[in-house]
Amino acid sequence: MRLLGLWCLPAVFLLVHASERELDWWESTIFYQIYPRSFKDSDGDGIGDLKGITSKLEYLKELGVGATWLSPMFKSPMYDFGYDIADFYDVQEEYGTMADFEELLAKAKELDIKIVLDFVPNHTSNESMWFEEALKGHQKYFDYFVWEDGVEDENGVLQPPNNWNSVFRKSAWEYREEVGKYYLHQFVIGQPDLNYRNPDVVEEMKNVLRFWFDKGVAGFRVDAIAHLFEVDKEKYGGKYPDEPISGQDLDDPLSYNYLNHIYTKDQEETFDMVYQWREVFDEFKEKDGLTRVMMTEAYSSPQVTMKYFGDEQQNGAQMPFNFVLISDFNGQSSAGEIKYAIDKFLTFKPIDKLANWVAGNHDNSRVASRFGPKLVDGMNMLVLLLPGVAVTYMGEEIGMVDGYVSWEDTVDPSGCNTDDPINYWKSSRDPERTPFQWNNDKNAGFSTAEKTWLPVAEGYEQLNTEIQLNSEGRSHIKIYKGLAKLRTEPAFRYGRYESVAFNTDVFAFRRWYDGDVYIVVVNFRDEPHTIDFTYFEGVNGHLEVVVCSLESSRRRGDVVEANNAKISESESIVLKLVQ
Ligand SMILES: *[C@@H]1O[C@H](CO)[C@@H](O)[C@H](O)[C@H]1NC(C)=O
Ligand SMILES: CC(=O)N[C@H]1CO[C@H](CO)[C@@H](O)[C@@H]1O
Ligand SMILES: [Ca+2]
Ligand SMILES: [Ca+2]
């Protein structure tokens, strides 16, 4: 038997290495999302800025991160903190100048960190030159937006054209006296939707992409893509039709969920637009050989999400964001539900495309707050070691928690629009946007200002990068760095994947390649369990601890019996099969 095994070896060896292709930069890196307003303030005005980011690029390098995507830093009146862009070709003054941005790019290049920007194609700011010109009756720019006549009610009072609601509540239509019409805003009033049925808009937005590619950015994250197109009103007698009632939030007709968004979301034309943008991305790759990467943000069904990848004829986004770790489970979910959520993207995705994993962003409660601080390392293990590209929201590497932001301090329109000083926090996104916690100096080392734009979260004196980097023992950040390094092993780059829910609490997966076998196990509950890992094919004998979570009593190098492994409360471990 043994002899036979040996004889077979060369053939297996060849086979395995044939499948090992050189990975492109974006396929093996970690993308680190920076929310510029909250990362690092260089001039003491209480607001993060570009120079601040440049000064911390080495920190990213040290973490093992190869790319960062920046939330918008374009010129904006900040009604939606930069997602309302007044000039797509310029930098917001409080964040710095174009020269500062170029410096950031140069420093990043030196460190081999790719810079990805946020592309917000659905709307401009109501204070953009385009919208201002539209209001003055300049036809070219008037046609950049979506306009509709109001309707008179029985009392002769002018009402919005139809029942569409904005994502942030209330009517999606706003009247402008200057032109006697309503404009559409799927998000806040200050974000008039662009009209993608106008070829001038399509060309203009491609030029925005070209402008930043020329400067040297390596890609774009595309914001709110599902909202790009509205239904073609010509098919409905020239009037935008009402959306049907969804059956949710029945007592609250102004809520977004009250309606089923069949005319304002996921319209078929959206996909073609993404394919057209990809052609612009590829124009630049042809020039200099660097792949420009597109990530699309859409909270849609998996079937719809997969269409962003493209098809046999056309390429789309390399990374349609996979939000299952955010939207499909929480601290109460069973291990089975967790497996089911993770399998979802892997099941639907085209076989030749990569998955991607995102556990947090500036729109969702932090991991430590959603799952509890003990699961921070376990969640980072999922993000960094599941097959595919990893995306980390700044602060998740140290387990930052949602900050407390009082009603008086609340600035997010999603919170303010509730007009509810008691329950606003359920809608506000400020808690996950509080300043980054660097050290235990004033304002957590984020800023020297008297008052920062959002308050620093309580407890930063114990929870910050400096303390964690200098700690004698284990810390979230050290664990994160360990995982980032482990991620470069062939088993995690090329290895196959199999997962199982061992019981209601324990989720585990195996990654294997070329004789190396790893098991990642996360116990989602405060209950100990004994697990028999020989369930996994080819796993028996002993397993060695490679990385373990903060509270784990194990040490690196400890040996565990595969058929009788004791997993303690909320423990997460990466194990390697001892050959
Ligand atoms: C833009 O919209 C905001 C509300 O989001 C409003 O406060 C502001 O006055 C508007 N600006 C202009 C120039 O219409
Ligand atoms: C995750 C994310 O970037 N969400 C953004 C979606 O788009 C709206 C409007 O541009 C923003 O408010 C969100 O922050
Ligand atoms: Ca500043
Ligand atoms: Ca739109």
Side-chain angles (χ1 to χ4, degrees), residues 122 184 186 193-194 227-230:
N122 182 63
L184 177 72
Q186 288 211 40
D193 274 52
L194 285 163
H227 303 269
L228 202 65
F229 275 85
E230 291 72 41

Short mmCIF file of all heavy atoms in Angstrom, two decimals, residues 122 184 186 193-194 227-230, ligand 4:
data_model
loop_
_atom_site.label_atom_id
_atom_site.label_comp_id
_atom_site.label_asym_id
_atom_site.label_seq_id
_atom_site.Cartn_x
_atom_site.Cartn_y
_atom_site.Cartn_z
N ASN A 122 -25.04 57.00 -8.49
CA ASN A 122 -26.50 57.14 -8.52
C ASN A 122 -26.98 58.59 -8.47
O ASN A 122 -28.02 58.91 -9.01
CB ASN A 122 -27.15 56.36 -7.38
CG ASN A 122 -28.66 56.44 -7.42
OD1 ASN A 122 -29.30 55.98 -8.37
ND2 ASN A 122 -29.24 57.10 -6.43
N LEU A 184 -36.21 63.47 -8.33
CA LEU A 184 -36.13 62.21 -7.59
C LEU A 184 -34.86 62.15 -6.75
O LEU A 184 -33.78 62.48 -7.23
CB LEU A 184 -36.14 61.03 -8.57
CG LEU A 184 -35.99 59.65 -7.93
CD1 LEU A 184 -37.25 59.25 -7.19
CD2 LEU A 184 -35.62 58.60 -8.97
N GLN A 186 -33.43 59.03 -4.40
CA GLN A 186 -33.65 57.74 -3.71
C GLN A 186 -33.02 57.75 -2.32
O GLN A 186 -33.40 56.97 -1.46
CB GLN A 186 -33.10 56.59 -4.55
CG GLN A 186 -33.93 56.30 -5.78
CD GLN A 186 -33.88 54.82 -6.15
OE1 GLN A 186 -33.92 53.96 -5.30
NE2 GLN A 186 -33.80 54.56 -7.46
N ASP A 193 -31.06 62.08 -7.89
CA ASP A 193 -30.64 60.97 -8.74
C ASP A 193 -30.26 61.45 -10.14
O ASP A 193 -30.94 62.29 -10.72
CB ASP A 193 -31.78 59.94 -8.90
CG ASP A 193 -31.80 58.94 -7.78
OD1 ASP A 193 -31.79 59.37 -6.61
OD2 ASP A 193 -31.83 57.72 -8.07
N LEU A 194 -29.19 60.86 -10.67
CA LEU A 194 -28.81 61.12 -12.06
C LEU A 194 -29.69 60.27 -12.98
O LEU A 194 -30.15 59.20 -12.59
CB LEU A 194 -27.33 60.79 -12.28
CG LEU A 194 -26.35 61.81 -11.69
CD1 LEU A 194 -24.95 61.21 -11.59
CD2 LEU A 194 -26.31 63.08 -12.54
N HIS A 227 -29.69 50.91 -7.15
CA HIS A 227 -30.63 52.03 -7.31
C HIS A 227 -30.38 52.85 -8.56
O HIS A 227 -30.99 53.90 -8.75
CB HIS A 227 -30.52 52.95 -6.09
CG HIS A 227 -30.78 52.25 -4.80
ND1 HIS A 227 -32.02 52.17 -4.24
CD2 HIS A 227 -29.96 51.56 -3.98
CE1 HIS A 227 -31.96 51.47 -3.12
NE2 HIS A 227 -30.71 51.09 -2.94
N LEU A 228 -29.43 52.41 -9.40
CA LEU A 228 -28.98 53.22 -10.51
C LEU A 228 -30.12 53.62 -11.47
O LEU A 228 -30.33 54.80 -11.73
CB LEU A 228 -27.90 52.47 -11.28
CG LEU A 228 -26.98 53.32 -12.11
CD1 LEU A 228 -26.15 54.23 -11.22
CD2 LEU A 228 -26.05 52.46 -12.95
N PHE A 229 -30.82 52.64 -11.94
CA PHE A 229 -31.87 52.92 -12.93
C PHE A 229 -33.25 52.94 -12.29
O PHE A 229 -33.53 52.16 -11.37
CB PHE A 229 -31.88 51.84 -14.02
CG PHE A 229 -30.90 52.10 -15.12
CD1 PHE A 229 -29.56 51.72 -15.00
CD2 PHE A 229 -31.30 52.75 -16.28
CE1 PHE A 229 -28.65 51.96 -16.02
CE2 PHE A 229 -30.40 53.00 -17.31
CZ PHE A 229 -29.07 52.60 -17.17
N GLU A 230 -34.11 53.81 -12.81
CA GLU A 230 -35.53 53.75 -12.49
C GLU A 230 -36.21 53.14 -13.72
O GLU A 230 -35.63 53.10 -14.81
CB GLU A 230 -36.09 55.15 -12.23
CG GLU A 230 -35.57 55.77 -10.93
CD GLU A 230 -34.10 56.19 -11.01
OE1 GLU A 230 -33.70 56.74 -12.06
OE2 GLU A 230 -33.35 55.96 -10.04
CA CA B 4 -31.23 56.10 -9.58
#
